[in-house]
Amino acid sequence: MEKLENIQLDKQSDEYLYIQLYKKIKQLLLEGNIEPHSKLPTIRHLAKQLDVNNVTIVNTYNLLEQKGYVYKKVGSGTFVQDILNKNRSLAFRDDDGSSTKEENNIINFVSTAPTEDLFPIEDIKIAINQVLDRDKGMAFTYQESQGYYPLRNSIKNYLSEYGISTSEDNIQIISGAQQGIDILSKALIDYGDIVFTENPTYSGAIAVFKSRSARVIEINLEEDGLDIRDLENKLRSFRPKFIYVMPIFQNPTGYSYSVNKKYQLLELASKYDFYIIEDDFLSDLSFNNDDNQTLKSLDKDDRVIYLKSFSKIAMPGLRLAFMVIPRAIYNEVLSAKHISDISTSGLIQRSFDVYLSSGKWKKNLEYISVEYMNRFTVMVESVKEYMPKDIKYILPKGGLNFWFSLPDGYSSNELYKKCLQNNLSIAPGSAFNVNQTDNEHFRLSVASLDCDEIRLGINKLSKIIEEFLEEYKRIRPSVEMYNTFI
C-alpha cells in the first residue's frame, strides 16, 4: 500500500515512533485516502519499508484497533474500518486528546486528556538529565519485564499512603492503563470466556475484551455503585473470569461506590471465585468526597487487581502505569507483558522513579488538583445555571466526568451530530455500552477545557439542547406511530 510506505517518521523526535505512525495512518483513514475494508500491509513488510522494528508496527496496529479504525481477522491480517460511513463519528472514542474534527475553535467536552499547561515539563527534564548523568548508557537498556525495581519500590511506598499494603514482587510496570487491560485480558481470557463490566463503562476496555473473543455481560450501575441484586442474579447463571470496575469517579458517569457496596462486591468475588479489575481512574481528584478508599485497600482475599496510570492525570504521553497483581496470576501476567512489548521504556521508568521518590509528583498533583477543582466548580455552577430543566443529572463529588440524560426516548447520537455541526463535541452514551446502542445519555469531560471555555461551552450546549428538544419533539409522534406497527 503505497500511501503507507511513503510515510515519513521523525526518529529524532521525543514522540514514540508507533504514536507518530498511528497519527499518520489515522489521518489517511479520516481523509478517505485508504479504501474501507482494504487490507493493511503485513507487519514485517511495513516495518521493512519504514525501516523500523516489527514491534513498532504491532503497537501501531493494536492502537488503531483499540480506537476503532481497523479490525483484525485471525489468520488474514488487519483491515480498514468503514469509518466514514458509520452513523456516528469516532471522535468521542479518542481519549488521546485528538479529535476527528479539525476545526480549531471546537469546544471539546470529549477528551479526557489534560491540557498542556498542566505538564510538569521542568521537573521531568531535571529527572531525565539526572538519570542520564547517573546511569549513562544503562538508562537505554531493556528493563526486566516486571519493571525497574527501584520504581516498584517507590510505588510500594506511594501506595502505603493510600492504605494499600503490597510488595515490590506484586507490582507490574506497564505502558499505560490501556496496556494493562490488554495484558490482563491476554493472561486471563480464553475464547468464549465471560467478563462482567459496569453498564455504562469505558469503551477502550470493551474493545479489548471483545478482541479476545470474550462474552461481555453488563451489570447495571446505580448512583452508589453496581446494582448488587443484578450482579448476584447474573452470578447464579454465569461464571466470569473477572469484573472490570471503576469504583471512584467512574468513567463515564462520575459515580462513586458506597463503602457498603465495595464490601458487598468483595464478598461476592470470594463467594463466586472471580477477580476484580479495579481501574483507579481518578481517585486523586476528590473535591467533595471524604470516602475515596480503593477496593484494593479493603481487599483481604487477594481478589483485586489494582490498575493505576500516572499518565492519565498529568502526562498522557508518558505512557506509564502499574498494576498490583495477586500472586496466583503472577506468571500469566508477566508472560503476557513480555509478549506485548518486552518491557516499558527504561529511561521513562528510571526518570519517573527520581520524580516520584523526590516528592515532586505529589507537589505537582496538588497543583493539578487545584486547577481541576476550579474547572470542576465552574462546571457545576454552569450546569446549575444553564442546563435545561428537562435534562437529568447527578453531580459527582470529584473527577472530571459528568453524566447527563435527555428525556426518555430521545437520541444522544442525534444530539451529538447537532453539537458537531455547531463546533461543540460531546460523547454520546452509545460509546459506553457493549453493543453501542443509541440511548438518551451523554458524557461531558472538563479535562481539556479551561474555566472560560467550560462556561461558554455549557451555555452554548444548553441552547443547542433546547433547540434539539423542540426539533425532536416534532418528529416523535411519527416515530412512535411507526413503532406501534413493527
Side-chain angles (χ1 to χ4, degrees), residues 254-373:
Y255 299 165
S256 292
Y257 287 31
S258 66
V259 174
N260 185 44
K261 285 201 170 177
K262 290 175 186 176
Y263 278 114
Q264 286 179 300
L265 177 55
L266 290 168
E267 289 170 5
L268 290 174
S270 294
K271 179 179 178 180
Y272 289 96
D273 190 25
F274 62 88
Y275 287 108
I276 303 167
I277 297 179
E278 178 183 18
D279 190 344
D280 185 3
F281 181 54
L282 291 172
S283 67
D284 298 300
L285 301 181
S286 180
F287 307 132
N288 303 302
N289 186 17
D290 294 331
D291 173 37
N292 63 342
Q293 277 184 291
T294 63
L295 277 173
K296 189 62 183 175
S297 67
L298 305 174
D299 179 25
K300 306 302 181 186
D301 297 324
D302 214 18
R303 289 283 172 182
V304 177
I305 305 165
Y306 181 74
L307 172 63
K308 189 171 184 64
S309 172
F310 284 116
S311 58
K312 199 63 177 178
I313 295 178
M315 295 166 286
L318 201 63
R319 308 312 304 145
L320 188 67
F322 69 90
M323 297 186 290
V324 179
I325 53 178
R327 292 300 299 172
I329 60 171
Y330 169 86
N331 289 330
E332 292 90 339
V333 171
L334 189 61
S335 175
K337 166 63 177 174
H338 191 271
I339 291 170
S340 293
D341 65 355
I342 302 178
S343 67
T344 299
S345 164
L347 176 60
I348 294 298
Q349 289 191 66
R350 289 166 185 258
S351 300
F352 195 81
D353 175 52
V354 170
Y355 179 60
L356 180 62
S357 59
S358 69
K360 290 182 178 178
W361 162 259
K362 182 180 291 187
K363 181 179 178 182
N364 188 56
L365 186 58
E366 291 172 356
Y367 164 72
I368 291 170
S369 296
V370 171
E371 290 297 310
Y372 275 140
M373 184 170 66

Side-chain angles (χ1 to χ4, degrees), residues 157-174:
N157 296 332
Y158 163 82
L159 287 173
S160 67
E161 299 179 21
Y162 291 82
I164 298 175
S165 178
T166 189
S167 73
E168 296 89 348
D169 292 339
N170 292 345
I171 295 172
Q172 171 71 60
I173 307 298
I174 48 179

